[in-house]
Amino acid sequence: MAAAADEPRRPWPGHGVDVAGQRLYVRRAGTPGAPPALFVHGLGGSSTNWTDLMALLADRVDGHAIDLPGFGRSGPPVTGNYSLDSHVGVVRDYIEQTCDKPVHLLGNSLGGAVTTRLAAERPDLVRTLTLVSAALPSYRPQKVSDPRLPLLLVPGLSRVAARAIGRRSPEERTRGIIEMCFADPAAVPGARFAEAVEDMRRRRALAWNDDALIRSLRGLVRADIETGSRALWRQAASLQMPVLVIHGTHDRLVPVSVGRRAGRVIPGSRLLILDDAGHVPQMERPEAVERAFDELLAAADAAA
């Protein structure tokens, strides 16, 4: 069962793993020998974004939550490359090196775009795919709480915007992120807020922190405008494994219309729209996500 709201579960323990020359930080939770599940966080997030869901699924899967290069406790990419393809390559290499069978792959936001491309290009590595508020291309811009955020995309202005945002205290920045990502910011336990503030304080001291955010965001935008066979929506339409799409109606970063479109475009996919969730349903409504994932597993097992 999930930890009580006033006593949130602490993040799962983790360790460093060398993957194709890249040092990744990985948190593990689950049952050794159970089917592997790999959790991929979103832009600016980390492996701790999956803490509660990993706890709920621990008796069914062998869970791995990675920090993408430049995020969480992983160092910057050794290549200096923050493109979507670079993040896809890291996830692919980790699966090939660590998992001896196809994985249940779960991605949130940026992680949803990463896992969509990986599942399309390497379906042999993916048993099922769960997309949580996946950052697939949208042509309906969302309003953001900080008007400086779009400036992160503009060469020459991105550093100025990053410095302006960085002048806010860790508490202010954490509160802004929670207000942007959660449908009900007041529901976030005080201990979780304190934990996020401490992590924000640690990350601000890292030389690569702003680079990871700015350049990964630019990489995602470049992927959004790709055409031809590698266009993300075309890749989504090519998926053949069991797919679960989850989206919150209060998502302020990726409009819920993207989730609904994914449910239509991806063949045979399951769609769950949560009326009381924002951009991180796995953190806001982990029990609902767990139930939907269980149904996906049952359907996948029956099909197999």
Side-chain angles (χ1 to χ4, degrees), residues 20 36 106 171 186 189 224-225 255 257 270 277 291:
L106 300 91
E171 290 81 6
D224 279 356
I225 60 176
S257 59
R270 295 165 172 264
R291 288 192 295 271

Side-chain angles (χ1 to χ4, degrees), residues 142-153 160-169 172-177 179-181 213 217 252-253:
Q142 295 284 84
K143 293 181 180 179
V144 294
S145 60
D146 191 327
R148 292 166 294 193
L149 291 176
L151 297 180
L152 296 176
L153 294 171
V160 176
R163 284 196 296 270
I165 294 171
R167 282 194 290 269
R168 301 170 69 190
S169 71
E172 289 172 328
R173 289 189 66 180
T174 300
R175 190 171 291 108
I177 290 170
E179 289 174 352
M180 191 162 46
C181 293
L213 179 65
L217 178 58
R252 299 179 180 92
L253 292 172

Side-chain angles (χ1 to χ4, degrees), residues 92-292:
R92 177 201 63 220
D93 292 343
Y94 181 82
I95 295 173
E96 290 184 328
Q97 176 178 309
T98 308
C99 305
D100 60 358
K101 61 186 72 173
V103 303
H104 296 293
L105 191 57
L106 300 91
N108 173 227
S109 189
L110 167 66
V114 168
T115 55
T116 295
R117 174 157 289 178
L118 177 59
E121 297 183 346
R122 289 296 307 274
D124 57 304
L125 299 179
V126 183
R127 178 74 182 88
T128 68
L129 176 63
T130 299
L131 301 175
V132 184
S133 302
L136 296 173
S138 168
Y139 306 105
R140 185 181 302 171
Q142 295 284 84
K143 293 181 180 179
V144 294
S145 60
D146 191 327
R148 292 166 294 193
L149 291 176
L151 297 180
L152 296 176
L153 294 171
V154 183
L157 294 180
S158 59
R159 300 297 168 192
V160 176
R163 284 196 296 270
I165 294 171
R167 282 194 290 269
R168 301 170 69 190
S169 71
E171 290 81 6
E172 289 172 328
R173 289 189 66 180
T174 300
R175 190 171 291 108
I177 290 170
I178 289 174
E179 289 174 352
M180 191 162 46
C181 293
F182 285 73
D184 181 10
V188 177
R192 276 278 160 80
F193 178 79
E195 179 185 294
V197 169
E198 184 57 35
D199 188 58
M200 177 68 71
R201 188 172 286 114
R202 179 188 64 81
R203 287 159 57 183
R204 284 179 63 169
L206 301 175
W208 59 83
N209 185 56
D210 289 344
D211 254 6
L213 179 65
I214 294 169
R215 295 171 65 185
S216 292
L217 178 58
R218 289 178 181 170
L220 179 60
V221 171
R222 282 194 292 270
D224 279 356
I225 60 176
E226 283 191 64
T227 59
S229 62
R230 301 194 79 232
L232 280 169
W233 280 117
R234 182 169 292 187
Q235 291 189 316
S238 74
L239 298 174
Q240 297 299 315
M241 70 285 297
V243 177
L244 169 63
V245 177
I246 300 174
H247 220 105
T249 59
H250 290 75
D251 193 328
R252 299 179 180 92
L253 292 172
V254 180
V256 67
S257 59
V258 169
R260 292 194 173 104
R261 181 179 178 183
R264 295 192 304 269
V265 166
I266 300 172
S269 62
R270 295 165 172 264
L271 176 63
L272 173 63
I273 300 295
L274 294 171
D275 290 332
D276 50 357
H279 191 58
V280 284
Q282 79 278 14
M283 301 176 74
E284 301 171 88
R285 295 286 309 283
E287 293 85 0
V289 175
E290 175 205 18
R291 288 192 295 271

